[in-house]
């Protein structure tokens, strides 16, 4: 079974703090993704990575950065957290095959920025 | 541009009955994949079923089936014999070849199964 884990299930931070969200997958997947989920908006892609040290902006990258130093780990960084970044953050991974491969998700991190 | 529309914010179904969750999509891609995910209150997204645009038959996985109508650009999820554990949020998603690795998601439908 594919396993995607995220470092925290719940996180509370103050405005202006630097926040690290960690994601680890154990299935040797090439592709990794960070989404945020907000009510009524579904999931929106923040960043994705298709290889170590490679990253691509998704649909809403502003205010975020990412790091992929190892294949199994993909980190999302909020350089200076703001209240509008309060959200559910979901990490996913997938194989790099024909392009229509299934993504497998972690349990999510609920971030509250005060 | 690609788009996924789920028009039902919430649905109720009686235990043991079947329910259909609607999903329509828009894409100019000739080849694409359609996915359904379930998200229980715990937050984890669980993959349910996949349908390729060139698949001749509708996908089925246990109690889940996908009613794929390509000409109408719809990919409705049918859950047969609903169980209390089916109460969750359900998301329809799509990926096209020209979209690269990007998957787009609908806003979701919350399903409530009544005992």
């Amino acid at each position: 079974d594919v396993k995607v884990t995220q470092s925290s299930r719940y996180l509370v931070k103050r405005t202006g703090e630097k926040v690290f969200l960690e994601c680890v997958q154990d299935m040797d997947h090439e592709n990794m993704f960070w989404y945020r989920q907000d009510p009524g908006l579904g999931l929106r892609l923040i960043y994705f990575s298709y290889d170590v040290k490679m990253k691509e902006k998704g649909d809403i990258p502003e205010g975020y950065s990412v790091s992929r130093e190892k294949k199994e780990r993909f980190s999302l960084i909020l350089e200076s957290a703001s209240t509008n970044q309060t959200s559910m953050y979901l990490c996913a991974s997938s194989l790099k095959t024909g392009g229509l491969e299934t993504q497998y998700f972690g349990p999510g991190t609920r971030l509250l920025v005060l | 541009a690609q788009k996924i529309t789920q028009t039902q914010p919430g649905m109720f179904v009686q235990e043991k009955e079947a329910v259909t969750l609607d999903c329509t999509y828009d894409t100019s891609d000739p080849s694409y994949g359609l996915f359904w995910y379930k998200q229980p209150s715990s937050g984890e997204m669980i993959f349910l079923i996949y349908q390729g645009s060139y698949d001749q038959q509708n996908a089925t996985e246990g109690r889940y089936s996908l009613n794929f109508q390509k000409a109408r650009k719809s990919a409705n999820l049918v859950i047969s014999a609903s169980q209390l554990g089916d109460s969750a949020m359900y998301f329809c998603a799509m990926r096209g070849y020209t979209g690269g690795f990007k998957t787009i998601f609908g806003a979701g439908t919350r399903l409530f199964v009544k005992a």
Side-chain angles (χ1 to χ4, degrees), chain A residues 23-36:
Chain A
C23 175
V24 178
Q25 49 92 7
D26 66 356
M27 284 303 292
D28 204 34
H29 284 173
E30 289 85 0
N31 304 328
M32 296 188 76
F33 309 81
W34 274 107
Y35 294 90
R36 66 176 281 176

Side-chain angles (χ1 to χ4, degrees), chain B residues 56-71:
Chain B
Q56 294 297 314
Q57 292 187 320
N58 286 345
T60 60
E61 290 285 348
R63 294 186 298 110
Y64 304 107
S65 61
L66 202 152
N67 184 1
F68 180 47
Q69 298 186 42
K70 193 171 182 178

Side-chain angles (χ1 to χ4, degrees), chain A residues 9 37 42 98-101 103, chain B residues 37 39 42 91 95 97 103 106:
Chain A
R9 293 299 303 272
Q37 181 184 5
L100 297 179
E101 63 283 353
Q103 293 182 14
Chain B
Y37 287 87
Q39 187 181 42
S42 60
F91 290 95
R95 179 182 301 168
Y97 276 113
T103 299

